[in-house]
């Protein structure tokens, strides 16, 4: 899937950031993190959930989200479903 870009500095994630999807696997076979970029730091993490995805369609039965995982901004493809937490 590649490693994405590297930024020496702080990357600011704006509200409603647009992410264009290209070359998405048709059958990801479970959770898949696609690297976008690695930065020294991130601002605007509260805006991750407002990301808008354009371009190729997300595979049927999956949803896309923007996340920071181990210092790397990724597009996460994850099977859609329901999660039930019982305490």
């Amino acid at each position: 899937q590649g490693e994405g870009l590297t930024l020496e500095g702080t990357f600011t994630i704006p509200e409603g950031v647009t992410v264009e999807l290209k070359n998405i696997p048709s059958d990801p076979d479970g959770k898949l993190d696609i690297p976008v970029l690695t930065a020294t730091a991130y601002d605007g993490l509260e805006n991750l959930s407002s990301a808008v995805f354009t371009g190729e369609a997300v595979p049927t039965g999956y949803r896309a989200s923007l996340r920071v995982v181990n210092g790397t901004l990724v597009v996460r493809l994850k099977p859609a479903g329901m999660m039930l937490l019982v305490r």
Side-chain angles (χ1 to χ4, degrees), residues 19-59:
V19 180
E20 184 176 359
L21 302 176
K22 291 185 177 184
N23 302 318
I24 299 294
S26 60
D27 186 10
D29 193 31
K31 182 179 78 172
L32 174 65
D33 287 341
I34 303 168
V36 177
L37 71 90
T38 300
T40 306
Y42 294 92
D43 278 338
L45 293 176
E46 67 276 7
N47 296 323
L48 290 172
S49 63
S50 69
V52 176
F53 296 95
T54 64
E56 291 184 13
V58 174

